[in-house]
């Protein structure tokens, strides 16, 4: 009588081929543990992820692969219990390597069952997310920052301004928006070249970062335009004094590649709540004040007036 191939036990060759395939999957840590969590097998990907050779980890409890803080919370045990209960969803988990460095992983734990459906252990599949998270972090940073100056961009500025508005409304504190435009910046690009213009923008950004207070923020919101958010100011006069301090920091002659470049700035100031109670009105008021600075010859600070808000 011919055997039923659908119910036949896998041959030794099938089992060996399967073992070789699993062992050589280097992109994933794949290993098995018994029902108590003791490591039984360990593939090359697991060696790569965790730094342990087979003999160093086989026979030890799976908890050695988790941060001590997670072990104290019983997380390794909880993960195995969840897998035993049939919760097979892929999860983000924290792990620790042989050298004690930690990393975040995407892990799946699948129960190993016999023909009677009894669980004998678990297969653990882990993928290190370090590179993925770093890449995502870089993408997020680029989405919120100006690539030339490294300053927050307009998107990030809107978020910072929303935070300032919320804090001010809650604490009843004043804050100011300072709009800065470089005077005749197009002339610098036309006469000195775009590379020189880029370096002037970078120098403006550097000076602005150096002069503002730790609680303030500066963003590049346009080609030659910057916005500074002055948090928790005492009064309108205080905002004007801080804006003058910023303006003075931008006045010294710029030295770019040993060449003197004359670049001045026009500054406009609006304050919350006097010149507006929302982001749009505050930015428009500061922009209007900055435009008046330019019309009056540039290289000066103008504070927005009530009748023009």
């Amino acid at each position: 009588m011919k055997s039923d191939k659908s119910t036949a036990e896998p041959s030794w060759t099938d089992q060996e081929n399967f073992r070789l395939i699993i062992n050589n999957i280097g992109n994933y840590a794949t290993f098995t543990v018994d029902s108590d969590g003791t490591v039984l097998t360990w593939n090359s990907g697991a060696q790569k992820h965790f730094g342990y050779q087979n003999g160093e980890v086989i026979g030890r409890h799976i908890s050695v692969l988790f941060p001590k803080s997670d072990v104290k919370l019983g997380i390794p045990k909880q993960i195995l219990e969840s897998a035993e209960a049939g919760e097979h969803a892929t999860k983000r988990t924290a792990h620790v390597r042989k050298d004690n460095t930690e990393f975040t992983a995407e892990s799946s734990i699948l129960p190993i069952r016999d023909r009677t459906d009894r669980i004998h252990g678990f297969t653990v599949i882990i993928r290190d997310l370090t590179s993925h998270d770093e890449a995502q972090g870089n993408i997020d940073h680029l989405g919120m920052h100006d690539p030339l100056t490294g300053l927050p961009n307009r998107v990030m500025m809107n978020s910072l301004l929303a935070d300032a508005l919320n804090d001010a409304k809650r604490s009843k504190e004043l804050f100011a928006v300072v709009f800065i435009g470089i005077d005749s910046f197009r002339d610098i690009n036309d006469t000195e070249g775009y590379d020189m213009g880029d370096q002037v923008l970078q120098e403006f950004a550097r000076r602005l970062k150096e002069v503002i207070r730790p609680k303030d923020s500066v963003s590049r919101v346009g080609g030659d335009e910057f916005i500074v958010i002055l948090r928790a100011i005492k009064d309108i006069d205080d905002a004007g004094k801080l804006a003058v301090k910023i303006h003075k920091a931008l006045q010294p002659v710029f030295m770019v590649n040993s060449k003197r470049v004359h670049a001045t700035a026009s500054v406009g100031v609006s304050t919350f709540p006097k010149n507006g109670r929302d982001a749009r009105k505050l930015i428009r008021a500061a922009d209007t004040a900055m435009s008046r600075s330019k019309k009056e010859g540039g290289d000066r600070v103008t504070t927005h007036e009530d009748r023009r808000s």
Side-chain angles (χ1 to χ4, degrees):
M1 181 181 293
K2 294 183 180 180
S3 62
D4 184 352
K5 291 185 180 180
S6 64
T7 59
E9 292 287 345
S11 68
W12 178 89
T13 303
D14 291 336
Q15 293 177 13
E16 181 64 12
N17 286 339
F18 180 74
R19 185 189 67 78
L20 289 172
I21 291 170
I22 293 300
N23 187 58
N24 287 286
I25 298 176
N27 293 331
Y28 292 85
T30 306
F31 56 95
T32 59
V33 298
D34 65 17
S35 57
D36 294 323
T38 300
V39 179
L40 300 175
T41 63
W42 192 250
N43 82 332
S44 61
Q47 293 179 26
K48 176 182 175 182
H49 278 60
F50 291 97
Y52 289 105
Q53 298 299 314
N54 295 42
E56 296 176 303
V57 72
I58 290 177
R60 300 177 69 178
H61 193 268
I62 192 175
S63 59
V64 72
L65 308 177
F66 287 80
K68 290 181 180 179
S69 57
D70 284 5
V71 174
K72 288 181 180 179
L73 294 172
I75 288 177
K77 182 180 178 182
Q78 293 171 19
I79 289 174
L80 294 179
E81 288 175 347
S82 295
E84 187 173 4
E87 299 175 11
H88 301 160
T90 300
K91 302 176 181 178
R92 287 178 71 98
T93 50
H95 294 283
V96 61
R97 300 184 181 90
K98 180 182 176 181
D99 62 6
N100 290 322
T101 57
E102 295 187 12
F103 67 97
T104 302
E106 186 179 72
S107 63
S108 296
I109 301 182
L110 309 173
I112 301 171
R113 302 177 185 272
D114 62 16
R115 288 185 175 182
T116 65
D117 209 34
R118 187 165 65 93
I119 294 176
H120 285 273
F122 303 90
T123 299
V124 184
I125 304 171
I126 288 176
R127 181 170 71 96
D128 187 349
L129 293 178
T130 303
S131 297
H132 173 272
D133 288 350
E134 288 177 351
Q136 187 61 50
N138 290 335
I139 292 171
D140 292 343
H141 180 84
L142 290 173
M144 293 291 183
H145 291 77
D146 169 46
L148 178 64
T149 63
L151 294 178
N153 60 16
R154 183 179 288 275
V155 174
M156 186 65 174
M157 184 276 297
N158 286 331
S159 177
L160 293 169
L161 186 50
D163 287 343
L165 278 164
N166 289 334
D167 289 347
K169 290 174 181 177
R170 183 175 57 253
S171 63
K172 307 300 181 182
E173 290 182 331
L174 305 180
F175 76 92
V177 174
V178 180
F179 206 117
I180 302 162
I182 302 176
D183 297 324
S184 304
F185 183 68
R186 182 179 295 179
D187 293 341
I188 295 174
N189 279 333
D190 291 344
T191 59
E192 304 292 346
Y194 287 100
D195 182 61
M196 180 71 78
D198 285 348
Q199 292 183 65
V200 169
L201 288 168
Q202 290 171 336
E203 178 63 13
F204 257 84
R206 186 190 67 79
R207 292 187 186 185
L208 287 169
K209 285 190 291 185
E210 286 186 351
V211 72
I212 64 173
R213 304 168 302 173
K215 59 187 172 184
D216 301 330
S217 58
V218 55
S219 308
R220 183 187 176 201
V221 296
D224 62 350
E225 295 175 338
F226 301 83
I227 282 180
V228 174
I229 301 173
L230 300 174
R231 305 286 290 264
I233 57 172
K234 297 176 183 178
D235 50 37
I236 295 173
D237 288 339
D238 187 32
K241 290 176 182 177
L242 289 169
V244 169
K245 181 180 178 182
I246 290 171
H247 180 248
K248 285 183 177 179
L250 301 175
Q251 285 182 321
V253 173
F254 289 77
M255 296 297 297
V256 180
N257 295 333
S258 301
K259 186 171 184 177
R260 295 166 63 89
V261 179
H262 293 274
T264 60
S266 292
V267 179
V269 185
S270 66
T271 55
F272 170 88
K274 184 176 183 181
N275 302 132
R277 291 181 173 271
D278 61 55
R280 183 181 61 81
K281 289 182 179 179
L282 286 167
I283 292 173
R284 185 176 64 185
D287 187 12
T288 299
M290 186 271 289
S291 296
R292 291 208 309 274
S293 288
K294 285 184 176 290
K295 289 178 181 178
E296 293 169 6
D299 194 18
R300 67 191 65 209
V301 177
T302 302
T303 301
H304 197 273
E305 297 173 2
D306 272 343
R307 64 177 181 272
R308 304 200 183 190
S309 59

